[in-house]
Amino acid sequence: MKNQLNAHICPLCGCKTCSLFYQDTTRKYLRCSDCELVFVPQFYWLNSANEKAIYDLHQNFPSDEGYRIFLSRLTNPLLKRLNTKQKGLDFGCGPGPTLSYILEEQGHQVDLYDPFYYDDPSLFFKSYDFICATEVVEHLHNPSATFTSLFQVLKQHGWLGIMTKMVIDKQAFQSWHYIRDLTHICFYNRSSFEYIAKRFSAKVSFFGNDVILLNKL
């Protein structure tokens, strides 16, 4: 069994030394020994139709003040670092884009991308001053490829703002609500984002346990 688990390659850093971190009645969770990403093997992934059916249940709109307050944990520190009238991308915006409205209210221009709702590959031939991914990176099938694409379209000195809950320890993981969502397949901690920063020549800053800003050097 140990050899079988180690055959799984980390989808973030490509490390082949991954071991069982936790197992519940639904899925197994492996942990990379290098970048410390905890991830769900492909065997347990939902198919696209079932994944989208869950996203269709999301009820997030710009008029929802509670949701705007939730997003402010990312937008507040990001806005302090942006110059006026910047060009941005809301990556994984979902069926009810809201973050883009908040940023546009502050004078910025924001494109929308989502593989299920706003699938426009031409956006990846543009360049951006900032990119936001709120509650997105935990859903990525191939985080290595996705982060590569995002940093390719991010301008030098640009900002990548991420919101995702981070792994604390194994004990907390076992009762963590975040793993109950079957669309969540990648779980990061600070070491994971420090690996990303080093790989893509960026400076990383953390705000609480769920907001990460990466400044491309």
Side-chain angles (χ1 to χ4, degrees):
M1 178 62 74
K2 183 177 180 180
N3 291 335
Q4 182 181 2
L5 290 172
N6 285 345
H8 290 286
I9 298 175
C10 174
L12 178 59
C13 73
C15 174
K16 296 181 180 179
T17 309
C18 302
S19 57
L20 183 64
F21 182 70
Y22 178 63
Q23 180 175 353
D24 56 25
T25 58
T26 306
R27 307 187 291 182
K28 292 179 180 178
Y29 306 83
L30 307 183
R31 181 177 180 271
C32 174
S33 64
D34 282 0
C35 71
E36 299 186 17
L37 181 79
V38 176
F39 63 96
V40 176
Q42 186 173 354
F43 176 82
Y44 300 98
W45 296 356
L46 300 178
N47 61 39
S48 294
N50 289 337
E51 186 177 359
K52 183 177 183 297
I54 293 176
Y55 300 148
D56 288 342
L57 298 174
H58 292 183
Q59 298 292 320
N60 300 323
F61 302 102
S63 58
D64 185 339
E65 188 60 30
Y67 188 51
R68 291 171 69 100
I69 293 172
F70 169 74
L71 293 176
S72 71
R73 300 210 301 270
L74 172 63
T75 58
N76 285 350
L78 177 63
L79 285 167
K80 291 178 181 179
R81 290 159 174 80
L82 295 181
N83 296 324
T84 58
K85 297 183 178 180
Q86 299 280 276
K87 176 71 173 178
L89 175 66
D90 185 357
F91 179 79
C93 60
T98 299
L99 182 139
S100 57
Y101 284 87
I102 296 172
L103 295 170
E104 287 176 342
E105 289 169 354
Q106 301 300 316
H108 303 292
Q109 182 183 351
V110 183
D111 288 339
L112 302 176
Y113 179 81
D114 190 286
F116 290 103
Y117 305 101
Y118 295 87
D119 189 9
D120 183 0
S122 69
L123 297 179
F124 293 95
F125 292 94
K126 297 184 177 183
S127 60
Y128 294 97
D129 300 300
F130 66 91
I131 300 172
C132 295
T134 57
E135 297 292 311
V136 172
V137 298
E138 62 274 15
H139 303 274
L140 299 179
H141 289 177
N142 189 341
S144 176
T146 299
F147 279 110
T148 297
S149 296
L150 294 179
F151 275 99
Q152 284 176 342
V153 298
L154 186 64
K155 295 179 182 178
Q156 187 176 11
H157 306 306
W159 293 91
L160 172 58
I162 295 170
M163 180 181 286
T164 188
K165 298 294 184 185
M166 287 190 281
V167 177
I168 299 174
D169 55 38
K170 189 172 184 177
Q171 182 177 358
F173 191 90
Q174 296 176 18
S175 58
W176 197 18
H177 75 281
Y178 223 50
I179 66 173
R180 310 303 172 208
D181 186 334
L182 297 183
T183 66
H184 291 180
I185 57 177
C186 286
F187 308 92
Y188 308 73
N189 65 13
R190 291 194 173 214
S191 294
S192 309
F193 287 111
E194 287 166 356
Y195 161 80
I196 292 169
K198 183 177 180 180
R199 174 176 169 181
F200 295 104
S201 300
K203 181 180 179 181
V204 62
S205 301
F206 299 96
F207 300 83
N209 194 43
D210 66 348
V211 172
I212 305 95
L213 292 185
L214 292 145
N215 185 209
K216 185 176 178 179
L217 301 176

